[in-house]
Amino acid sequence: MTGATTTAVPQRPWYLRPWVTVPVPALLATLDALLANDLSSGTQMATSLLAAAALLLRKRWPLLVLLATLPGMELSQIWLAPMFAVYSVAVRHRNRWAIGFGGLLVALTQFIPWPVTDFALGWDRTTALAALYALLAAAAPIALGMLVTTRRELAVRLDELTRGQERERRLLAQSVLSTERARLAREMHDVVSHQVSLISIQAGALQVRANDPEASKETARTIRGLAVKTLEELRQMVGVLRAASGDAQQLTPQPTLADLPRLVAESGLACDLDGHDVEVDVPEPVERAAYRTVQEALTNVRKHAPGSTVTVRLNRASGALQVTVSNTAGSPDATPLLLPSGGHGLIGLHERAQQLGGTLTTTPHPDGGFTVDASFPLSTASAEPSGTSA
């Protein structure tokens, strides 16, 4: 899995960069002042040019700039500077009251002429048109500013949503990878641990029988067979790892409950097996889980309690397959197998049981014995995910 990629921040178009958006409105307002006013009128030119110059600061202090443009709108015929200013208020402020107050000021300034004493409110066509123009002068830039603000917010939300989805995909990929690693670790442990413990037992027997050539040959033949079997199972696992889409059918043949008598016979333990014929109508994932449970339990007995007596019981009850493996305390004369153990075997058994909706409990006995008790629901036809059933 590759690391997290850095999302490139798209650059703004040239016409939205500060070196364009700051001076251009001021230049347009200056042109508006030169075209709309009497060049010989000092008052009109001063107020209108002041309004145009104030636009250079509209992004920092939009409300103050708006107030600075109103005298020019009232005393002369300019439109652009106040409209740019109220647009900036709509873009920069989230307070709707401030936006509405700025629009009201622009509308009143446009509607009421100078001097105010000449203003006469009449209910005629001229007054209606003046009111309409005033409302348009205020409402149009406000609407455009709020539209731009909404668009920016939507862009931010879309970016956040995209980043969130990317994080979810990465977390899902990490979860799948973690699950796959746990599965492979569990399968590797199940395949190798049991076989290696058998090889260790046979190697110990070979050491004891070194003076008996025939017994040594038989033991060496057994060790060779176990080693070949271990390598074959490992080769199957490597084949699944190399496949583009590994599935459960590639790890064949899969162990079932019918293989339990052979497993018990090859364990080298004094083991009593009862109920292995319950495999009728038992789902394949349950059979494999039950087999691996018995296999791991026998491996642990060989490691930690050699010379003990083992009892394996399988029973169908209450719609579930019950698997119980109990052993007595090990013989004091027997030498435990000095094999490394990380405690992952029982963890793997718990994971198998949980995948099938079952349970697994382990109980140490005061006399030194140990019991592994697992329960697998039979209603699970194929509870294991594809590729996890080796």
Side-chain angles (χ1 to χ4, degrees), residues 300-322:
N300 288 338
V301 172
R302 285 195 300 269
K303 286 182 180 180
H304 307 296
S308 64
T309 301
V310 185
T311 302
V312 179
R313 294 284 182 269
L314 284 80
N315 181 40
R316 297 178 61 161
S318 302
L321 177 64
Q322 307 288 337

Side-chain angles (χ1 to χ4, degrees), residues 358-374:
T359 60
L360 184 136
T361 58
T362 56
T363 307
H365 300 168
D367 59 358
F370 200 80
T371 296
V372 176
D373 192 358

Side-chain angles (χ1 to χ4, degrees), residues 14 49 135 137 143 157 170 237 252 288 291 305 316 334-335 374:
W14 64 269
L49 291 177
L135 290 176
R157 297 290 178 84
R170 289 199 300 266
M237 291 191 65
T252 56
R288 288 192 292 272
Y291 179 93
R316 297 178 61 161
T335 303

Side-chain angles (χ1 to χ4, degrees), residues 198-213:
L198 291 178
I199 292 174
S200 178
I201 291 176
Q202 295 298 328
L206 179 61
Q207 184 178 10
V208 173
R209 301 172 182 175
N211 297 326
D212 188 346

Side-chain angles (χ1 to χ4, degrees), residues 7 43 47 59 82 99 108 160-161 180 216 284 287 306 313 361 371 374 380 388:
T7 304
T43 302
T47 55
K59 292 188 176 182
I99 297 173
L108 291 176
E160 291 176 351
L161 180 61
E180 187 66 8
S216 298
E284 292 183 6
E287 286 198 66
R313 294 284 182 269
T361 58
T371 296
T380 306
T388 65

Side-chain angles (χ1 to χ4, degrees), residues 15-90:
Y15 52 83
L16 294 180
R17 296 181 183 179
W19 60 270
V20 175
T21 58
V22 172
V24 168
L27 293 176
L28 292 176
T30 301
L31 182 62
D32 180 35
L34 296 175
L35 295 177
N37 294 314
D38 182 3
L39 298 181
S40 62
S41 174
T43 302
Q44 289 185 356
M45 292 304 299
T47 55
S48 58
L49 291 177
L50 176 63
L55 292 180
L56 296 174
L57 304 175
R58 65 188 179 90
K59 292 188 176 182
R60 177 167 295 186
W61 299 298
L63 278 176
L64 292 178
V65 170
L66 174 61
L67 295 177
T69 61
L70 293 181
M73 188 178 200
E74 181 67 26
L75 300 176
S76 62
Q77 303 296 323
I78 63 171
W79 282 53
L80 289 182
M83 293 179 70
F84 277 126
V86 77
Y87 164 82
S88 298
V89 172

